[in-house]
Amino acid sequence: MKIRLPRLLIASALAICLLLPQIASADGQNSGILNGSDDYIVSIMEMIKERYRFEVTDSELLEGALKGIFGSMDPYTEYMTAAEEESFYESINGGYYGIGISMSKIGDHIKVTKVFESSPAERAGVYAGDIIVSIGGVNTADMAVKDAVELIRGQKGSRVVLGILRGDLRKQEDIELLTGEVSMRLVKHDISDGKGYIKIASFGGAAVDEFIDALKQMEDNGIRDIVLDLRDNSGGYVEAAVAIASKLVPRGLVTRLEFKEGYKENIKYESPLDEVKYKLSVLVNRNTASASEILAGAIQDTGVGRLVGEKTFGKARVQYIVPILTPEAYKKYSDELGVKIVDASKLLWEYGINPAEEEILGSSKITMGVYTTPHGRMIDKVGLKPDVEVSRDLPGSGIDTDSIENLTVTWKPGLNDEGGDIYYAEQILKLLGYDIDEPDSLLDKKTYAAVGEFQKLKGGGPYGFGRLDFTTQKWLNEELNRLRLENDKQYARAVELLKN
């Protein structure tokens, strides 16, 4: 089976600018050590197989050697197996196989904090606020979230049974799900009080189209003032960051990529925009990194917006994905072509050969370049200093307003109804000081009473006190926006700057 051409092109051509967990690196150089190293490495592997007490295959030794070689450079260069590469692209593009939930550790068990739209979890009736007490019969007490994720995902298309507690903690419901493809939106937007809000989670494959859709909503509503939220955005594709920057910054340089002299020509990315339409306040923090810093740096240098929050991470290194041939494929094409090639993409570009899937051992993610801002600033290990520094502290309740979704205003939950809107309504009410239990997805008697009190304060409830009718949901959404201004000091300062 042949590799699909687009995937190989993507792997070999796209620049990746992403903050990832660091890998230990080693210092030092050796001149001329590569001469005759083929036999040396083979001899090392033979010695290990001869003396190592347990079984180890040639493939395992080879992959271990490659991980060591690529891991000896900077923290962002690494060798990836096929499975690791797939997970890597999923982390950027916001799509993966699973059930479509976010989770956090609450007490002894796992709590669902978000259910993604059109996901297997949503179709099966899992709601934000649900407590997962078991996964496939395995109790989640003392289970880490990462272990729960692995247990739930399993194999593509596999079935998993979640033991759920909802509302009345004495009653457990078992929900069976079939894992499938989950697509997450990378860009979310909102409009309130004559201003726009756009949050970019990652510069993945769909980010540009989603951002353009968000801008269209701004234009359709006459919005020119926008809070652009890049907090906790660890990066993605350089091309995506540049494409978005080209919708915001004036004609001229967005960023410059510089490569090793003699290997690759430097690249200048420029914006073609003749008219700047938007006034921006850009939210950044210590986890704003890499491709996010390309966009933030371009906005800051061109003066179309101000950065608000904390100093950014400081990563100006650019990685490319290089598919690596197996030893057998390496020998095959060396014999056929008379050249030594380990980079599978080079076979495609220079010889028009698309290697078979089984001829690819894995891929290397290797730092090939660095980038600078329009003014030539090199921010690696330095970061971008915000124009207005503001720290952020969560309210005493520990509920982060940024994690609360606006109520959908698409249905009218009543007593004992279940759903994600109820979970977010409970979080808003708890932040407002109403006496409710730990937010879940059940409109129980206590939450029903709290909704009634809120409605009385507002002047009534069209369908009787306690029901989450459309008017009440709109009131709660207005309160959520006010709470964001009150509890999110960075967001509040960004909004204030737009008014000046």
Side-chain angles (χ1 to χ4, degrees), residues 41-348:
I41 293 174
V42 170
S43 296
I44 292 287
M45 293 173 67
E46 289 298 331
M47 182 270 288
I48 291 171
K49 290 167 63 180
E50 177 184 319
R51 302 182 185 183
Y52 181 58
R53 174 61 180 79
F54 302 99
E55 292 296 319
V56 60
T57 66
D58 287 345
S59 294
E60 289 170 337
L61 289 173
L62 180 58
E63 289 194 338
L66 290 174
K67 283 187 175 293
I69 290 170
F70 286 103
S72 66
M73 291 169 268
D74 68 12
Y76 313 107
T77 297
E78 62 175 330
Y79 171 79
M80 299 181 292
T81 65
E84 289 167 341
E85 182 186 359
E86 183 176 358
S87 296
F88 170 72
Y89 278 114
E90 287 176 356
S91 70
I92 298 176
N93 294 322
Y96 65 96
Y97 275 87
I99 64 171
I101 61 174
S102 293
M103 300 177 289
S104 64
K105 188 73 175 180
I106 303 292
D108 290 335
H109 295 294
I110 307 293
K111 182 175 184 178
V112 178
T113 55
K114 184 178 179 64
V115 178
F116 296 106
E117 186 178 352
S118 301
S119 66
E122 184 185 62
R123 291 191 292 271
V126 177
Y127 300 118
D130 285 350
I131 304 295
I132 301 175
V133 295
S134 65
I135 302 169
V138 179
N139 195 297
T140 61
D142 301 324
M143 183 182 293
V145 171
K146 64 180 181 64
D147 295 327
V149 169
E150 290 303 315
L151 198 57
I152 288 173
R153 289 186 66 175
Q155 299 296 316
K156 295 178 183 179
S158 60
R159 294 186 180 276
V160 61
V161 177
L162 302 183
I164 297 291
L165 292 181
R166 182 180 300 156
D168 185 351
L169 297 183
R170 292 169 298 176
K171 181 181 178 182
Q172 177 176 330
E173 178 182 358
D174 288 337
I175 298 179
E176 185 175 1
L177 305 94
L178 184 67
T179 60
E181 189 169 357
V182 179
S183 296
M184 297 180 291
R185 287 193 66 83
L186 300 178
V187 179
K188 74 175 185 178
H189 66 275
D190 187 30
I191 295 174
S192 61
D193 299 329
K195 68 179 181 309
Y197 171 83
I198 301 177
K199 182 176 180 64
I200 306 175
S202 168
F203 292 97
V208 177
D209 288 340
E210 291 180 15
F211 185 80
I212 290 172
D213 288 342
L215 285 187
K216 186 177 185 304
Q217 292 295 316
M218 301 298 144
E219 287 197 23
D220 291 347
N221 288 274
I223 300 298
R224 291 292 179 264
D225 294 346
I226 296 176
V227 175
L228 178 62
D229 196 344
L230 298 179
R231 291 176 297 185
D232 299 319
N233 183 326
S234 61
Y237 300 121
V238 170
E239 287 83 354
V242 170
I244 289 174
S246 296
K247 302 293 181 183
L248 303 173
V249 303
R251 180 180 292 277
L253 187 65
V254 173
T255 188
R256 174 185 170 91
L257 267 56
E258 300 176 353
F259 301 93
K260 190 171 186 177
E261 187 175 351
Y263 170 72
K264 185 177 177 67
E265 291 292 325
N266 294 336
I267 301 174
K268 287 184 178 181
Y269 288 102
E270 298 193 349
S271 168
L273 191 63
D274 288 321
E275 179 187 359
V276 175
K277 296 182 179 180
Y278 306 103
K279 179 181 178 182
L280 304 170
S281 284
V282 184
L283 295 173
V284 295
N285 64 8
R286 67 194 68 180
N287 295 321
T288 301
S290 212
S292 292
E293 291 171 296
I294 288 178
L295 176 57
I299 290 172
Q300 188 176 53
D301 278 8
T302 57
V304 296
R306 285 176 283 188
L307 306 190
V308 181
E310 304 162 329
K311 188 174 75 169
T312 63
F313 181 84
K315 176 180 180 287
R317 306 186 186 200
V318 179
Q319 288 74 47
Y320 281 75
I321 305 298
V322 179
I324 304 295
L325 291 173
T326 63
E328 294 80 11
Y330 166 77
K331 184 178 187 308
K332 168 187 169 182
Y333 292 114
S334 294
D335 292 343
E336 288 181 8
L337 302 173
V339 292
K340 294 184 176 182
I341 297 176
V342 294
D343 178 357
S345 61
K346 192 172 182 180
L347 286 175
L348 184 64

